[in-house]
Amino acid sequence: MRYSSKTATAKTVLPGIWKVRLGRPEAATPISLKQIPADKAALIALPAVADCPLLLADWRCTVTAAGFRVEIPVGDDAFFGLGLQLKSHNQKGKKKTLRVNSDPVSDTGDSHAPVPFLLSTQGWGLYADTLRYASFYVASHVPGGEKGVAHHSMETATSTDELYGKANAGANRLVLFIPAAKGVDLYVFAGPTLKQAVQRYNLFSGGGCLPAIWGLGVWYRALGGFTQEDTIRLAAHLREHHMPCDVLGLEPGWQTKAYSCSYLWSPERFPQPQVMLDRLIELGFNVNLWEHAFVHPSSPIHRDLEPYSGDYQIWGGLVPDFTIPAVRDTFGDYHGRELIDKGISGFKLDECDNSDFISYPWSFPEHSQFPSGLDGEQMHSAFGLLYQGCLYAEYRKRNRRTYGEARNSHAFAAPYPFVLYSDLYDHRDFVRGVVNMGFSGLLWSPEVRHAVSEEDLIRRLQSVALSPQALVNAWYIRNPPWMQFDTEKNNRNEFMPGHEKLESACRDIFQLRMRLLPFIYAEFARYRFEGLPPFRSLAMEWPDDINTHKIDDQYLIGDALLVAPMFSGQKERPVYLPAGDWYCFHTRKKYRGGETRTVAADLHTIPLFVRAGHILPLAEPVECVRPDTVFKISAVTFGENCQACRLFEDDGISFDYEREQYNIVSLMWSQDEGPRVTRTGHYSGRRYEIVSWEHVS
């Protein structure tokens, strides 16, 4: 049945956000499960938008036996978003089915975090409130009766890309199809710029997350079978070799049962866990524990969760229905009492996604049922974020911030301090994830697990050091990869001759991360209060520059720093510098923007460029961030009449900043007045000391 949407109305939800109800939406949706309220005050502070930017009268809706379809005319836009897309950047001309999948082998929409939120360079975003595996046809097909590309006009193609790329030229409709549904609530987020549409979405989500400051340091995950003694030995080794590291992660072996999980310390491998935790904390480490949410029969919480779990088990364990308050209370209270209160700083939430591209189906099926009424398809979309929310709530109860990892997320994830990761390992895909994540309120780590060469290790570490989470995931190698990157030799304790040189190069990379930590922390504070992603695509910043629409291997950190990662085999690479002046971070050489340059970089250099008119605060590197750490800052000004650099100063570990217990430390420089520093706010401590200034003209 087709009907017109002319009778539908766009209802203002919050400033710059409209809701359009079409047909009869399903009851269970991301918004119905949303637990963090919108940041209304921050939304009001954004530039006003008077009218909904999409004309409802032009929409067409159809109810079919298979589901619900919406057709919306679009112009010559570029389109971005749809969650953590690892295979493409600009989504125009593509069909994406947003299915939870840990193994996205092709560019079809499968994702660890499929988010039904699409953004246009015309300055609007469209969110579909559904937990279904929705398909977005983004100007990809030409309907019958409309003018497309006539078959006789096609010249002989010389490649499949050329052939298929021309097939639907002229398509000018966005089509959304939601299986099983009879309607949907659509939300329009207006800019007026693309970046401000993203901000509105993140603030509607509740604002971005502000991790504990130690979470922005360097992470190291140890071998899965490590013991208590192994763990302490590794921690001591890292400190003795002065390798910056804030977080040590323990993999499945810490538990008595891990597939499924008991959440109990193994008495054989960890006979005195509290002694170990106290020692690690003394050395300046925060401890993160691996787990998944499938509950083993031996777990103390199994009996209480059994009535509230799905009708299929995984690895012999329950699949708890986190939509039910009793489940969140039982699961969360146990973790809080037995793990968080005893010193655990965070969790790695593994296997909370799904996979269709491996030889055995390890997760619950889409046809499964849960006590709340959700089916398996809906639960796969919701499961990761509900799991995050359950544990995040325990840290909030204790006025402690955390930073963790998760392998699945969905809509409105911005407030949750969890970083996505993947078992896949293509370096270019990993960098593309950093470029794309900011469109959908997500965080992503291009984690380093192993390397095939010294060059591969260094290039991967450079990328991860300039990402939301600087993670070395050595869960299947006994020793750090800079001692031996060959897995088999590493596990036999056979180290490379002269590996100390490689270790020194890796230490330099980690120290770069620590130099930038106050700057990155300040950008996360902007994410929290303004909804502005700390890492973002060039297209988000310069949507009117069509050159940025295809750049999926460069990104910004904040407003000031442009990152252009290098990949194995490259001695040089093209770098596009948008309009304006730019400075090489390493040489301080000035470049004119608006063009692509070929940039050479030796093995130990990653191309970094600073935008003119900005001040970059660089800290003296520390090996870890302790509660009393004071960063010594060298401020570098690039160009004339620089805008103020605002550092966020608080205790770095609590939510007291929500009660205005923070300072803004403003670094200012002008040609007439020179450097100035002001500190305003209500935090009595000191986190930053400005020790020097450098001016680059």
Side-chain angles (χ1 to χ4, degrees), residues 220-238 248-251 253 269-270 448-451 472-495 499 503:
Y220 190 100
R221 303 206 69 89
L223 180 71
F226 260 19
T227 65
Q228 176 175 323
E229 183 180 353
D230 293 327
T231 304
I232 294 175
R233 186 185 304 115
L234 171 64
H237 173 88
L238 292 171
L248 270 184
L250 300 184
E251 288 293 297
R269 288 183 291 272
F270 295 87
V448 177
R449 291 200 295 275
H450 68 271
V472 177
N473 185 9
W475 71 271
Y476 53 62
I477 56 176
R478 176 166 292 277
N479 303 285
W482 45 85
M483 299 177 72
Q484 173 60 262
F485 51 75
D486 182 283
T487 302
E488 293 183 2
K489 291 181 179 179
N490 187 303
N491 289 328
R492 292 197 300 264
N493 295 322
E494 297 177 13
F495 304 139
H499 67 268
E503 178 183 283

Side-chain angles (χ1 to χ4, degrees), residues 213-501:
I213 192 168
W214 51 257
L216 298 177
V218 177
W219 290 53
Y220 190 100
R221 303 206 69 89
L223 180 71
F226 260 19
T227 65
Q228 176 175 323
E229 183 180 353
D230 293 327
T231 304
I232 294 175
R233 186 185 304 115
L234 171 64
H237 173 88
L238 292 171
R239 288 291 177 255
E240 289 166 6
H241 288 251
H242 304 290
M243 299 297 286
C245 187
D246 271 283
V247 183
L248 270 184
L250 300 184
E251 288 293 297
W254 74 270
Q255 299 184 55
T256 56
K257 301 291 182 182
Y259 287 88
S260 48
C261 285
S262 66
Y263 317 107
L264 294 167
W265 289 97
S266 166
E268 293 80 22
R269 288 183 291 272
F270 295 87
Q272 296 178 299
Q274 194 62 56
V275 171
M276 178 195 69
L277 290 174
D278 291 344
R279 177 57 178 153
L280 294 176
I281 292 169
E282 180 185 348
L283 289 170
F285 289 98
N286 293 270
V287 180
N288 179 284
L289 295 182
W290 175 100
E291 64 168 53
H292 60 212
F294 309 132
V295 184
H296 190 270
S298 67
S299 174
I301 56 178
H302 184 276
R303 182 186 295 273
D304 289 340
L305 293 178
E306 197 167 13
Y308 306 111
S309 297
D311 58 356
Y312 280 80
Q313 60 181 11
I314 306 301
W315 287 301
L318 302 174
V319 183
D321 187 339
F322 283 111
T323 68
I324 298 173
V327 169
R328 298 196 297 271
D329 291 344
T330 298
F331 195 93
D333 180 70
Y334 175 85
H335 278 73
R337 184 179 66 252
E338 298 298 329
L339 298 170
I340 297 173
D341 286 344
K342 295 180 180 180
I344 298 304
S345 298
F347 295 90
K348 175 182 178 178
L349 313 184
D350 208 2
E351 271 96 25
C352 53
D353 45 11
N354 192 20
S355 182
D356 290 281
F357 298 123
I358 55 178
S359 58
Y360 50 91
W362 57 262
S363 194
F364 54 88
E366 276 76 4
H367 59 75
S368 56
Q369 294 292 317
F370 289 83
S372 61
L374 270 67
D375 60 36
E377 177 183 351
Q378 295 169 307
M379 185 58 80
H380 273 304
S381 296
F383 196 66
L385 198 61
L386 290 169
Y387 188 9
Q388 293 172 44
C390 176
L391 294 183
Y392 176 54
E394 294 302 312
Y395 283 97
R396 285 203 68 100
K397 289 176 187 176
R398 291 157 173 80
N399 194 26
R400 285 175 58 187
R401 278 186 270 164
T402 183
Y403 204 36
E405 302 162 74
R407 220 171 71 176
N408 173 235
S409 204
H410 204 262
F412 311 125
Y416 295 97
F418 288 85
V419 183
L420 291 156
Y421 63 96
S422 174
D423 277 350
L424 303 184
Y425 206 53
D426 183 89
H427 191 184
R428 287 187 178 273
D429 285 354
F430 272 25
V431 169
R432 190 177 294 114
V434 178
V435 175
N436 285 338
M437 64 183 181
F439 289 112
S440 304
L442 303 170
L443 299 172
W444 160 257
S445 174
E447 64 173 37
V448 177
R449 291 200 295 275
H450 68 271
V452 298
S453 66
E454 177 179 333
E455 179 188 22
D456 186 40
L457 177 62
I458 287 177
R459 291 309 190 196
R460 286 180 178 274
L461 282 176
Q462 289 169 344
S463 297
V464 83
L466 295 164
S467 80
Q469 189 179 66
L471 172 61
V472 177
N473 185 9
W475 71 271
Y476 53 62
I477 56 176
R478 176 166 292 277
N479 303 285
W482 45 85
M483 299 177 72
Q484 173 60 262
F485 51 75
D486 182 283
T487 302
E488 293 183 2
K489 291 181 179 179
N490 187 303
N491 289 328
R492 292 197 300 264
N493 295 322
E494 297 177 13
F495 304 139
M496 296 180 293
H499 67 268
E500 293 84 0
K501 183 177 179 181

Side-chain angles (χ1 to χ4, degrees), residues 43-106:
L43 282 165
I44 291 170
L46 288 176
V49 180
D51 300 312
C52 180
L54 294 176
L55 298 176
L56 272 61
D58 297 331
W59 296 11
R60 289 191 290 182
C61 309
T62 307
V63 180
T64 73
F68 190 76
R69 185 176 79 197
V70 184
E71 301 176 56
I72 301 174
V74 294
D76 190 24
D77 312 19
F79 294 93
F80 305 95
L82 300 182
L84 185 69
Q85 295 297 321
L86 297 181
K87 300 293 183 180
S88 61
H89 180 45
N90 186 351
Q91 304 305 322
K92 186 171 186 177
K94 298 180 180 294
K95 172 199 171 184
K96 291 293 178 75
T97 298
L98 303 185
R99 179 174 64 162
V100 178
N101 207 303
S102 66
D103 301 284
V105 296
S106 59

Side-chain angles (χ1 to χ4, degrees), residues 152-180:
H152 61 268
S153 68
M154 291 278 283
E155 298 179 0
T156 301
T158 58
S159 70
T160 54
D161 285 346
E162 183 182 358
L163 174 65
Y164 298 132
K166 292 180 179 179
N168 290 313
N172 61 359
R173 292 187 185 182
L174 165 65
V175 180
L176 168 64
F177 181 76
I178 304 173

Side-chain angles (χ1 to χ4, degrees), residues 174-192:
L174 165 65
V175 180
L176 168 64
F177 181 76
I178 304 173
K182 303 300 181 185
V184 66
D185 286 332
L186 298 181
Y187 288 73
V188 180
F189 293 81

